[in-house]
Structure formats: C-alpha cells, structure tokens
Amino acid sequence: MILRLSNLFVRTLRDDPADAELPGHTAMVRAGYIRRAGSGMHTWLPLGPLVYRKVEAIVREEMDRMGAQEVHFPALLPREPYELSGRWEEYGATLFRLQDRRGNDHLLAPTHEEMFTLLVKDLYSSYKDLPLSLYQIQIKYRDEARPRAGLLRAREFVMKDSYSFDVDDEGLEASYQQHRDAYIATFDRLGLHYVIVSAMSGAMGGSRSEEFLCPTPVGEDTFVRSPGGYAANVEAVVTPVPDPLSYDDVPVAHVEDTPDTPTIETLVAFANEHFPRGDRHWEAADTLKNVVVMLRYLEGGRTPLVVGVPGDRDVDTKRLQAQVEPAVVEPFTDEDFAAHPALVKGYIGPQVLGEDSASGIRYLVDPRVVEGTRWVTGANRHGHHVFDLVCGRDFTPDGTVEAAEVLDGDPAPDGSGPLELARGIEIGHIFQLGRKYADALALQVLDQHGKLVTVTMGSYGIGVSRAVAAIAETTVDELGLCWPRQVAPADVHVVNAGKGEDTGAAAEELAAGLDAAGVDVVLDDRAKLSPGVRFKDAELLGVPTIVIVGKRLVDGVVEVKDRRTGEREDVAVAEALDHLIAVCRS
RNA sequence: CGGGAUGUAGCGCAGCUUGGUUAGCGCGCCUCGUUCGGGACGAGGAGGCCGCCGGUUCGAAUCCGGCCAUCCCGACCA
C-alpha cells in the first residue's frame, strides 16, 4: 500500500486545537487521524482507521487464539432485557435511552451482558456445551457526566467485550485465567506497558477482578504500587492492622471546652495552644475524625453510617463505596442532621455511636483504630471535644472499614514496602461475574446428573479505541506521534525533499519497491512544498521509519531516520530497498 | 451536579469595555511569479446565519434577557 500525501484525505494543523489537552490527543488531531464531532464523539479520518484496525486485529487474533468465538450484537437494544436484569434502573443517567416511533423504550448499549446471557440461554441447555467464551468488538455508548481527554473518555467508543460461561467455579477460574493470559499477550503485542491490579478487596464473596492499567501521568485511574511488586487499585488496598496498645497509664477521658473548632485543623491548633502535650505537639493523626454519610439501599431506605478515621486522612468515597456495595453512599444533608439530633455537626464522637447505643447508628472505624489507641475527638456537644478517649476502654466500634484515603508512603499489605500512588489508563478489565446475570435471566443447563444448574459467568473488556489513545499518549513526543511499528499506519514514510525530478523519481521508485515487498508506505509526493514542511509532517504523522530522498541523492545516498530515536544513517540508493525491508521486518 | 470560562471563516485568535463605513489578523485554501534541507516570499483572490431567539436603539458582533452548545477544575464513572 502506498499512501500518497498528494491525495490522501488529510490536512495537518500547525496550531494545537483549542479543545485538546492531552499531548497524544492533540497530536492525533493535528496529524489528521481524528477530529472531534461532538462532545465525546470522534470522526476517524483515513489515517486513524489504519491504526485502529491494526489494534483491533491484534485483539481479535488473541481472542480467537484462546478459543473465544466472535459474535456481533446490535448497539441499539430494546429495553426488555435490561428491565429483566434490573439495569434499566440501575445504570442511571449514564445509559443512553431513546424511544422509537411507537414510543417504545430502547437503549444504546453500554455493555452487553444481558444479550450474551440470553443468546446462550436460547441455544444451549447442557453442561456438555460448556465451557464457552464469546466476544464481540462493538461500538458502545455511555452518556458520561463529563467526556474528556479525547478518545480516553468518550461517549461513543469501541470495546471488545467477552463473556465466559461455565458450569462451576473451577471452570470459571480456568476461563478467567485464559482471558488473563490472552490479555497479557494482547497488550504485549500492542506495545502497551501495563500493570495488573486487583480491582476489588475480596469483600464481595471472593470473586476475582483485575484491571490492566497503562501507567501514565495522564491516566484517570489512581493505583498504588510498591517496590516489592505489589500493585492494586486504591479500592483494593488493605490496611495492615497494628497490634493493640496498652492503655494502663492513659488518663481518664475528659471533655474540654474547644470553641470554634469544627475542623481538624482548627482543633489541632486550639489543642496546642490551650492543652499542650508534654512530649510533643498535637498532630492531626492524634484526632479521630468521624464522618457521617447516608447509605441508600437498592431495595429502598436510607440509614446513616459514621466512619471514624485518623484525622490526618480524609474518607475516600470510592473506597467506602466499594466496601458498602450494593448500597450507595450519599452525602449527609442538613435535613439528615436535623433528623438525628445525636449527631452534632463538627463534633461527632464515638460515645453516642454504635448499633447498641441509644442512637443505634452504625459506627465503623479505620483498621488503624485498634484497642488501646487514644484519641482526641468530638464530644457530641457543640464546641467541645474529648481527650484521651481510648478505643476498647471508652468506646467499641461496630467494626472496621477500609474507607480512609491511601497516602503515598503507606505500607503495602503484603509487606513489600511503602506504597507509591500512580496514575494509569484502564485498558482492560477482567471480572468474575458469577451468577448475577445467569440468575436474573435464568440461564441454566442440565448437569451430568440431569439437574438444572445456574451457569457462572465472567466478563472481560478491552477498550479498543481507548487502547489507540493509550498508545498515542504513551509514545507521543515533542515532535508528534510515534507509533510502534505493529500498529503504525505505515512502515516507511518516504520524503521527497529535492527540487528536481530526479529525487521525485527516486522516491517513487523506492516506494514502489517497498510496496512490492509488502511494506506499507506513506509517500510525500506533494508538489511545491518546502522541505521543512515535509520534515515536520513526517515527524507529526509518526510513521516509525522516515526516508529522506533529497540533496544527498547526488552522492548516491538516501537518509534513513528512526522516528523514535532520531538516529539517521546514510544508505546507498542501491541498497536502500533491502535495508528498509530488513529494518521493517526486524 | 457544584465552580470557572468560552462561542466571530476549515484551524488558532483579535474586535465587544466606550453601539456607527464593506468585521479584522495569522495558518490553511485558489492563481501567478520567485524560492527549495527544518513549518519560505511577493502580488492578487475565494471563504462569515459574528451560537440561537427575543429586547433596547435611527443603527447591535458590541448593550440587556432567555435559551443552546462547548471546554476546564471538581463530584460521579461495570
């Protein structure tokens, strides 16, 4: 294939588009791979699909290799299956809903669990048919609250989603492992760096879930890693529990007048001024911060929950949310405070909390709050705090919860060193669904004893368009795009940098030779352009090997430049073809 | 959803405060000529519902009101 810039449908931009912020996205727009069509929607120009299709092909090959079979559902679906699974309601505002001319509800699918489940239910009814893995590569729709970062968080995007079906947990584990191996092979081939992080704490019945994150500062997901190789989603970090402390010599708890100290900061400052410690200053970590939230349950109803964390940390809503699922964490409003007079805003303390207390309000604390720890905390009276309140002596929480934010330097749960917070792009997610959808949609098969058993499922996703973006973001440099060869739109970019007909003819001949050898070529055969423009465009487009046919042609050489390293070498014209073919196949 | 901003040619922007010729600049595009190894130069061109609706006014890109859209920060995000 020879792409001639003289007629390729592309126009490179000299200025950065105003609405692009990430370097890779900016370069893709400037180089003419994609354009914004609307918020979270993108048009692909000819260069874009050349990259996209190579990514897609690698994903497809690895799925086929592991034995998954490709199917294809509509992106537009009727309401009914989602009604049956409960997700018509559950999915909320993120679901694109629309009506047909008869007023019937439809949706643009954000993911296809229901359809896969129902399809298998329609066709299969025996354990002999399993295990089975099906996949599709499909446009997905999510009405994101805030689309951003170009292809990374779009409202229309392409995802490979697959689902495994097994009769038992051992089968599911095997299918999961197959997908995990296939994903490793896929991302290795794509040239994407990744870390595999545990995405759940295991509090949800032991089902496994792991995310493939591509580490980059522009990523939207936060994860942690340790020097010893531990890596996890922040939601999954388990806090090591300290040993209990002796509290024999801790004075009796005493309430003090602490006016105008509704925040940890004001409290610490006040305590240091009026109740100085003998040994050191009071610190935020000496205080116990009690945060009250409302839990809303799917089946209806709201109950308050108070979470106690050391005062130097905030409650991480995402971590808390992961712990209380399927309940939803909601803010505690002023009306809620009015309805629960035991809770004094800014001065909440454990003495009035607990399921066995008068208030009956559930009280969970950070795992660091162990027996014997002494705290400065709210006295449940406006302007008052209690000092030397000892856990296990003066109060007993209902339990612990992993809700405190994870901080840089916290110890890894497996003892592999201090955690480092890092950012990444979620490029893949593998998940043991279990029987959620099989139960909801009655997917059962007969086992070898003739008994009906509910199938257990896994779901596995790779963001294909997002992977393109992730590659761009992690390879782009100050000159432009810099594609890995296996996904580049072409192998060689031939620049005719001369002014005479001789360089033009030599460039044509070289391009034709490469094409005949099966090497894809971008040929800059545009007329009347200064060499500088051609060089800039070649670098912006990001084809891995650039050949300059120019002033050195009179010496019988062309220049071969590696886009990534910038290294140039002179190659005799007579050897250029063989040299380039070797470079592209190495 | 909270906060902040923006909407003027394909792209990037000025003009608006203080209303008044034919709405301007750079890039890109067309023609001619000169250039030709790091986004060349000259001359001449094409291209605009100034986001939409309404109001004020003799007159609105400019002032006022409403709406819509988009972007950024945050919240949210299997």
Side-chain angles (χ1 to χ4, degrees):
Chain A
M1 179 188 67
I2 300 178
L3 294 169
R4 293 177 176 274
L5 288 187
S6 60
N7 70 353
L8 184 66
F9 186 60
V10 67
R11 187 115 301 156
T12 57
L13 305 177
R14 190 177 296 207
D15 298 315
D16 287 346
D19 55 3
E21 81 248 50
L22 302 184
H25 178 223
T26 300
M28 283 187 75
V29 175
R30 276 192 56 208
Y33 285 70
I34 57 170
R35 286 172 69 85
R36 201 184 70 88
S39 180
M41 298 174 275
H42 299 274
T43 303
W44 295 76
L45 278 54
L47 284 170
L50 291 174
V51 174
Y52 167 81
R53 284 205 296 265
K54 292 192 175 180
V55 173
E56 188 188 53
I58 289 172
V59 171
R60 178 174 281 119
E61 282 169 23
E62 292 302 328
M63 291 311 296
D64 291 343
R65 190 197 305 277
M66 68 149 273
Q69 301 177 61
E70 184 168 8
V71 298
H72 196 81
F73 288 99
L76 174 67
L77 298 175
R79 168 175 172 164
E80 194 181 14
Y82 284 71
E83 188 76 43
L84 290 173
S85 70
R87 289 210 299 178
W88 179 262
E89 299 294 337
E90 218 177 279
Y91 222 99
T94 305
L95 191 65
F96 265 112
R97 301 152 207 265
L98 67 163
Q99 294 188 328
D100 67 9
R101 64 171 72 202
R102 285 173 289 221
N104 294 328
D105 286 321
H106 289 71
L107 60 94
L108 294 172
T111 174
H112 281 78
E113 280 83 355
E114 289 83 352
M115 302 306 291
F116 275 89
T117 307
L118 290 169
L119 181 66
V120 174
K121 180 185 173 181
D122 275 350
L123 295 182
Y124 276 7
S125 51
S126 162
Y127 74 96
K128 295 179 188 172
D129 296 323
L130 305 182
L132 172 70
S133 284
L134 299 175
Y135 76 99
Q136 67 170 342
I137 296 174
Q138 173 64 281
I139 298 174
K140 307 284 187 180
Y141 295 90
R142 293 184 194 177
D143 192 1
E144 295 284 350
R146 181 147 97 81
R148 69 185 98 176
L151 295 172
L152 282 183
R153 178 170 298 282
R155 295 197 292 176
E156 179 187 277
F157 58 98
V158 179
M159 182 162 101
K160 187 287 300 177
D161 55 328
S162 49
Y163 303 86
S164 64
F165 301 85
D166 284 278
V167 282
D168 53 29
D169 293 348
E170 294 71 40
L172 170 58
E173 182 61 31
S175 294
Y176 181 91
Q177 192 60 41
Q178 280 185 326
H179 270 90
R180 196 175 190 277
D181 293 343
Y183 276 30
I184 288 170
T186 301
F187 294 128
D188 283 346
R189 284 183 65 189
L190 288 175
L192 274 170
H193 293 119
Y194 57 88
V195 293
I196 303 174
V197 304
S198 165
M200 293 176 76
S201 61
M204 298 293 298
S207 61
R208 289 179 70 188
S209 173
E210 289 170 295
E211 289 172 356
F212 288 71
L213 297 178
C214 174
T216 160
V218 304
E220 294 189 73
D221 290 340
T222 304
F223 70 101
V224 297
R225 52 184 166 184
S226 75
Y230 174 84
N233 191 303
V234 283
E235 283 94 321
V237 173
V238 178
T239 305
V241 180
D243 291 329
L245 300 175
S246 161
Y247 49 87
D248 295 342
D249 51 352
V250 178
V252 171
H254 47 104
V255 174
E256 302 292 352
D257 202 352
T258 56
D260 298 324
T261 56
T263 65
I264 296 295
E265 195 176 45
T266 52
L267 172 61
V268 170
F270 188 92
N272 276 320
E273 186 176 347
H274 297 277
F275 308 102
R277 283 177 68 120
D279 49 346
R280 57 173 173 83
H281 286 295
W282 291 107
E283 293 169 2
D286 297 318
T287 69
L288 184 60
K289 173 159 55 180
N290 296 298
V291 177
V292 56
V293 297
M294 272 293 184
L295 297 185
R296 176 182 291 283
Y297 300 96
L298 274 182
E299 57 272 23
R302 297 165 84 227
T303 59
L305 168 70
V306 176
V307 175
V309 298
D312 58 336
R313 291 170 194 266
D314 284 326
V315 168
D316 182 329
T317 313
K318 290 176 76 171
R319 297 196 76 208
L320 177 59
Q321 178 64 60
Q323 296 296 313
V324 300
E325 269 171 350
V328 176
V329 176
E330 294 185 347
F332 203 78
T333 64
D334 287 343
E335 293 80 63
D336 292 325
F337 273 108
H340 294 87
L343 300 175
V344 183
K345 192 173 184 177
Y347 301 93
I348 298 171
Q351 305 89 321
V352 300
L353 300 171
E355 289 171 325
D356 299 332
S357 72
S359 71
I361 296 171
R362 195 151 170 247
Y363 183 52
L364 300 175
V365 296
D366 184 79
R368 279 163 284 241
V369 182
V370 294
E371 183 178 332
T373 51
R374 53 187 279 203
W375 302 97
V376 180
T377 190
N380 303 299
R381 281 169 61 195
H382 189 82
H384 291 75
H385 283 88
V386 58
F387 288 66
D388 295 321
L389 197 75
V390 174
C391 182
R393 181 187 75 182
D394 303 318
F395 68 98
T396 306
D398 294 317
T400 62
V401 64
E402 292 286 354
E405 63 181 334
V406 177
L407 298 178
D408 225 60
D410 281 350
D414 62 355
S416 60
L419 294 175
E420 169 204 18
L421 288 170
R423 308 273 283 171
I425 298 168
E426 183 185 342
I427 49 177
H429 193 167
I430 53 178
F431 182 43
Q432 295 189 358
L433 269 181
R435 298 183 172 81
K436 172 176 176 177
Y437 292 93
D439 270 335
L441 302 170
L443 170 59
Q444 295 179 311
V445 294
L446 290 169
D447 68 9
Q448 51 270 65
H449 308 297
K451 280 179 55 182
L452 275 176
V453 295
T454 300
V455 169
T456 184
M457 295 169 55
S459 90
Y460 317 89
I462 291 178
V464 181
S465 50
R466 178 181 277 189
V468 173
I471 295 168
E473 295 301 341
T474 54
T475 57
V476 69
D477 63 19
E478 63 281 356
L479 298 174
L481 297 167
C482 205
W483 298 110
R485 188 172 298 283
Q486 61 274 25
V487 300
D491 284 302
V492 180
H493 185 126
V494 179
V495 174
N496 167 20
K499 53 182 171 180
E501 289 179 3
D502 50 347
T503 57
E508 288 281 356
E509 189 179 337
L510 190 54
L514 289 167
D515 181 43
V519 174
D520 291 335
V521 181
V522 170
L523 175 61
D524 189 350
D525 59 345
R526 293 174 293 183
K528 301 194 89 175
L529 266 187
S530 69
V533 175
R534 301 180 199 272
F535 297 147
K536 291 289 186 195
D537 276 351
E539 283 146 357
L540 180 61
L541 260 51
V543 171
T545 303
I546 297 170
V547 183
I548 300 160
V549 183
K551 65 182 183 186
R552 302 294 311 283
L553 189 65
V554 294
D555 305 324
V557 298
V558 297
E559 294 154 75
V560 176
K561 183 177 165 183
D562 184 278
R563 170 63 182 86
R564 175 176 303 281
T565 64
E567 288 168 12
R568 297 161 175 255
E569 58 181 320
D570 291 344
V571 177
V573 174
E575 295 158 16
L577 189 57
D578 288 341
H579 176 86
L580 287 166
I581 292 169
V583 166
C584 293
R585 290 180 179 166
S586 66

